[in-house]
Amino acid sequence: MKTTSIHGMWSSRMAFILAATGSAVGLGNIWRFPYITSENGGGAFVLVYLACILLMGLPLMLSEIMIGRRGRMSPVNSLKNLATESGSAKAWGGVGLIGIAAGFLILSFYSVVAGWTLYYAFHFFTQLFGASGIADPSATFAELLANPGRMTFWHGVFMVLTVGVVAMGVENGLERAVRVLMPLLFLLLLILLVYAATATDAFGQAVVFLFRPDFSRLDAGVVMTAMGQAFFTLSLGMGSIMTYGAYLSSQSSIPRVGLTVALADTGVALIAGLAIFPIVIAYGLSPEGGGPGLIFESLPLAFADMPFGIVYGLMFFLLLSVAAWTSSISLLEPGTAFFVEATRFSRRSVALVLAAVAWLAGLVSVLSLNVWQEVNVIGERNFMESAEYVANDIMLPLAGLFIAIFAGWVLSKTVSREELGERFPAWVYTGWLWLVRVATPLLILIVFAGKLGWF
Ligand code: PHE
């Protein structure tokens, strides 16, 4: 059993928690969660989402950390080595490859959206110095989407920020970045929440919208979206958490750190909802059917009217940019670790090449918002929506399915018991084991079958 990884190690348990929370908390929590909740009717969707976190997300999170820490390599090689050790086929490494491909695809469009947040942060920043504000937010957002050059620029700036950190390595890059950025993120979020709770009188309505379930809104599509969101928001199924687990000390308790990260991520999503919806409602906008423009159109409308709206807007888009940054680092890291293992190139060269290719791939998403807007790839979806659909709703759950089967059935119980630790009451281990053996795979299969229209 290896105790260190060739890529580096987190200096403490806290460093892992910050990095993994940084990976989990991202655009998925602050941009995507509020708007898909808004599109899917509020409370009932939130309930299904929370059930998915508990029944699939948490057990898979523990499995990924465990596989990573036991293998101490990139997901492909950790899975391959552990499979060989347990007398199973090397082909399990292929699951790691699906993950790396999904991560790469996600990075390509994630960075485009992160570029929007940088653009908005910059926009509010210039307003501090007297530049004119956003008079018509819908027009401003539409203008941004219609301008491939501007989006390409900010997408590029964001990719440079990401690769800058990854190229510097685990201790000097990733750990140093999250130690500064995560406290900043929590501080900004707290300020925004306090504002929403005290300065608007719509907090109660937002709570009702988020937590009162209307079950008539549920169908297979909504459940599938909730499941895809649970995977996406916890960074599962693509090897980010597995890779981060490879750098975690053998002394740390996996159930404890895994639970902390899952709770922090879920907490941030709910707090983001509670910080955003009161403002949307207080300014007379509907919380329903927001769409991807929810925070880029509705919120700036409110900011324009609010006392200190410019400062508030700047803080909000800074928060989003920081959250996106610590996530995109974790999207680039697994592929980087894999190619460092597979080739003779240095971490720096590998990271640079991968980021450049992801940036180029992102240009297709940029163009699908304007020039190729009418080109549908899958169903009614343009390229960017198709990439998001394939990666989040299909590849992540599929890889998650295999990871659950691997952790529950392929890996010997001696290994998993040793990794998850014996310091816990027996039901923790048994509970985890049956969730990954039966509940998680079954739920994923049922949702897939439902979506394919089998019942
Ligand atoms: N969890 C991140 C978010 O919620 C996105 C992400 C997905 C990051 C997969 C890494 C891996 O924004």
Side-chain angles (χ1 to χ4, degrees), residues 18-42:
L18 289 177
T21 307
S23 166
V25 171
L27 295 174
N29 304 59
I30 308 171
W31 167 65
R32 199 167 187 268
F33 174 74
Y35 96 71
I36 58 175
T37 299
S38 149
E39 279 180 343
N40 289 286

Side-chain angles (χ1 to χ4, degrees), residues 23-29 106 110 232-235 238 240 327 330-331:
S23 166
V25 171
L27 295 174
N29 304 59
I106 295 175
Y110 200 82
F232 183 76
T233 191
L234 290 177
S235 306
M238 58 128 309
S240 283
S327 296
S330 78
L331 284 162

Side-chain angles (χ1 to χ4, degrees), residues 13-305:
R13 181 178 77 188
M14 196 56 196
F16 169 85
I17 292 179
L18 289 177
T21 307
S23 166
V25 171
L27 295 174
N29 304 59
I30 308 171
W31 167 65
R32 199 167 187 268
F33 174 74
Y35 96 71
I36 58 175
T37 299
S38 149
E39 279 180 343
N40 289 286
F45 172 82
V46 174
L47 210 63
V48 178
Y49 161 77
L50 291 177
C52 289
I53 297 273
L54 197 70
L55 297 176
M56 300 193 266
L58 185 57
L60 265 175
M61 160 101 44
L62 303 188
S63 309
E64 283 207 25
I65 304 176
M66 178 177 92
I67 296 168
R69 188 166 78 173
R70 192 76 181 186
R72 296 268 181 230
M73 303 273 273
S74 70
V76 182
N77 287 320
S78 285
L79 282 162
K80 192 159 84 184
N81 295 344
L82 293 182
T84 328
E85 247 173 62
S86 347
S88 297
K90 270 199 207 139
W92 280 103
V95 177
L97 282 180
I98 305 182
I100 288 179
F104 193 74
L105 196 60
I106 295 175
L107 180 60
S108 76
F109 62 75
Y110 200 82
S111 166
V112 173
V113 179
W116 303 347
T117 70
L118 281 181
Y119 169 74
Y120 272 81
F122 179 74
H123 204 299
F124 278 99
F125 181 72
T126 57
Q127 288 175 40
L128 283 181
F129 301 100
S132 56
I134 297 177
D136 180 350
S138 297
T140 305
F141 189 54
E143 235 169 69
L144 174 65
L145 298 193
N147 189 335
R150 184 178 290 161
M151 275 195 284
T152 302
F153 172 75
W154 289 105
H155 161 51
V157 172
F158 185 77
M159 201 59 98
V160 168
L161 289 174
T162 303
V163 73
V165 172
V166 175
M168 284 196 286
V170 177
E171 291 94 343
N172 291 330
L174 279 68
E175 180 165 335
R176 251 203 341 207
V178 296
R179 278 193 188 279
V180 178
L181 296 176
M182 294 312 287
L184 176 67
L185 187 148
F186 286 121
L187 180 72
L188 288 171
L189 191 67
L190 210 67
I191 299 177
L192 301 184
L193 176 70
V194 170
Y195 179 90
T198 52
T200 70
D201 49 12
F203 197 71
Q205 280 163 274
V207 171
V208 168
F209 177 71
L210 277 173
F211 296 110
R212 191 159 66 201
D214 168 6
F215 291 107
S216 67
R217 300 292 299 259
L218 289 184
D219 59 31
V222 173
V223 177
M224 184 162 179
T225 310
M227 180 176 84
Q229 173 65 11
F231 276 95
F232 183 76
T233 191
L234 290 177
S235 306
L236 294 173
M238 58 128 309
S240 283
I241 296 295
M242 206 182 279
T243 309
Y244 279 10
Y247 312 152
L248 174 68
S249 141
S250 307
Q251 311 308 323
S252 308
S253 153
I254 293 179
R256 219 196 289 168
V257 292
L259 185 66
T260 311
V261 174
L263 281 177
D265 182 73
T266 310
V268 171
L270 297 177
I271 292 178
L274 291 175
I276 291 169
F277 285 115
I279 298 180
V280 171
I281 298 170
Y283 284 85
L285 308 162
S286 163
E288 295 246 9
L294 179 72
I295 62 169
F296 294 101
E297 294 173 287
S298 304
L299 280 183
L301 203 59
F303 297 157
D305 272 0

